[in-house]
């Protein structure tokens, strides 16, 4: 099963990943990406980057887009994910196409918190 590490999530977009003590950063996916996330079980239209990565992993698993023998390889040609990525396949070991797609398809939101 394909697994995505969220440890490198901040490379998706600096503006979507900077968090100050009084702000919680969330993102709003553009419609094509939102459809993918919703197909994987996401509800709503606003998510954290971690949630986006989780639902992308769920989508890849659900659609069986990964190679059963080389599970780090994702073959997304002919799928909406491939259209968004602009490629036929990628490796989770080098997720740069995924991060580039996220930069194009996520709008950063700032939600102020009321606590100290």
């Amino acid at each position: 099963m394909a697994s995505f590490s969220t440890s490198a999530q901040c490379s998706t977009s600096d503006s979507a990943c900077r968090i100050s003590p009084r702000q919680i950063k969330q993102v709003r996916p553009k419609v094509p990406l939102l459809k993918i996330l919703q197909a994987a079980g996401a509800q709503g239209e606003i998510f954290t980057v971690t949630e986006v990565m989780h639902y992308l992993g769920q989508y890849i698993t659900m659609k069986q887009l990964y190679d059963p023998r080389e599970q780090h390889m994702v073959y997304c040609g002919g799928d909406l994910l491939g259209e968004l990525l602009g490629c036929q396949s990628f490796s989770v070991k080098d997720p740069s196409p995924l991060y580039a797609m996220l930069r194009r398809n996520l709008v950063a939101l700032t939600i102020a918190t009321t606590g100290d």
Side-chain angles (χ1 to χ4, degrees):
M1 158 163 67
S3 173
F4 290 99
S5 168
T6 56
S7 63
Q9 69 191 22
C10 287
S11 63
T12 60
S13 170
D14 287 340
S15 65
C17 293
R18 287 188 206 127
I19 299 174
S20 73
R22 298 194 181 267
Q23 297 176 339
I24 298 171
K25 284 289 190 170
Q26 293 187 316
V27 293
R28 180 186 310 268
K30 294 181 181 177
V31 173
L33 178 56
L34 182 60
K35 287 181 180 181
I36 286 174
L37 301 179
Q38 289 173 337
Q43 296 182 359
E45 297 181 358
I46 298 174
F47 307 94
T48 64
V49 174
T50 300
E51 290 170 327
V52 170
M53 295 299 287
H54 168 77
Y55 287 116
L56 281 172
Q58 292 292 103
Y59 180 84
I60 289 167
T61 300
M62 177 186 77
K63 301 276 290 216
Q64 298 183 343
L65 299 177
Y66 60 91
D67 185 321
R69 293 188 188 139
E70 295 181 275
Q71 294 183 3
H72 66 95
M73 290 301 302
V74 177
Y75 295 98
C76 49
D79 188 87
L80 179 58
L81 180 59
E83 291 177 31
L84 282 178
L85 289 168
C87 64
Q88 299 291 311
S89 65
F90 71 96
S91 170
V92 297
K93 293 180 180 180
D94 178 20
S96 54
L98 183 67
Y99 292 143
M101 180 275 291
L102 291 175
R103 278 192 296 275
R104 292 188 308 268
N105 287 280
L106 294 176
V107 177
L109 306 173
T110 302
I111 300 172
T113 61
T114 57
D116 289 323

